Amino acid sequence: MDATRFGLFVAEMRKENHMTQAELATKIKVTDKAVSRWERGLGFPDINSLEPLAEALGVSVLELMKSEKIVETNIQCGDADIIVTDTIKAAEHQKQVERQQEKRIILISIGVVAMLSIFALLIDNIGWSMENILFTSVGVVLPVISIIAFFVLMIISLIRRVTGKSCKQTLIVALVFSGIVVAVFLAIFVLSLFAFPGQR
């Protein structure tokens, strides 16, 4: 299934039904940005959205997947199977591409945040003893990197969600970073209780 052809068909059917992208999006419970992406040939709807989309456009699921009106009343089972298989493969390929893009964005974001945080801490000239290095790396660098990464990834996740792209991986990684911050501060708190038992 060709994404450009699919997008043109969706746009054509939407206009035939006198709907805006926002109206179509509301009917099938997606964002208007997602509808815009489909119509521009930049992706396919989720497999669960195909039936509601076909219904909203007044076409059959088969016509939607074939990206054209089907005139003949009898369709061979083999033809229908091929169309469905092609559609599922195209949707899976699109998901894989989006996942790879999301992973790339996550890795680049974490790398940039880590480098900037370490650089900022190196500017502050401290006496580099082993204790200072350990305290700075675990007690300062790790939480600072994690906090900044959390906020950066949450913003990226929100942007991806608004534009109708996959944001699940970004959100999970952001939550992992928030967990790291909580774990570090809990560890410091517990260690301080044992190191200074009289001061409570």
Side-chain angles (χ1 to χ4, degrees), residues 95-196:
K95 278 186 180 179
Q96 283 177 352
V97 168
E98 285 186 5
R99 280 192 210 112
Q100 287 170 352
Q101 287 174 343
E102 194 176 0
K103 281 179 186 174
R104 212 172 293 126
I105 289 169
I106 291 169
L107 290 173
I108 290 168
S109 301
I110 292 169
V112 169
V113 166
M115 287 173 63
L116 289 174
S117 301
I118 291 167
F119 179 73
L121 290 167
L122 286 176
I123 289 173
D124 181 26
N125 192 3
I126 61 173
W128 287 106
S129 67
M130 196 57 184
E131 289 173 0
N132 284 340
I133 291 170
L134 190 61
F135 174 77
T136 304
S137 59
V138 175
V140 181
V141 175
L142 186 61
V144 167
I145 289 173
S146 298
I147 290 166
I148 295 169
F150 171 76
F151 285 112
V152 168
L153 291 170
M154 285 301 285
I155 290 165
I156 291 169
S157 176
L158 186 62
I159 291 167
R160 289 182 69 83
R161 176 76 176 165
V162 168
T163 56
K165 295 178 181 175
S166 169
C167 63
K168 188 178 175 183
Q169 290 180 1
T170 312
L171 194 58
I172 289 168
V173 175
L175 293 174
V176 167
F177 276 108
S178 68
I180 290 171
V181 174
V182 171
V184 166
F185 285 123
L186 276 175
I188 289 170
F189 175 72
V190 169
L191 286 172
S192 68
L193 289 178
F194 287 111
F196 309 104

Side-chain angles (χ1 to χ4, degrees), residues 62 65-66 70 75 78-88:
L62 201 56
M65 290 193 281
K66 202 170 179 185
I70 299 171
I75 299 165
D79 291 343
D81 284 346
I82 289 167
I83 293 166
V84 171
T85 304
D86 286 349
T87 303
I88 291 169

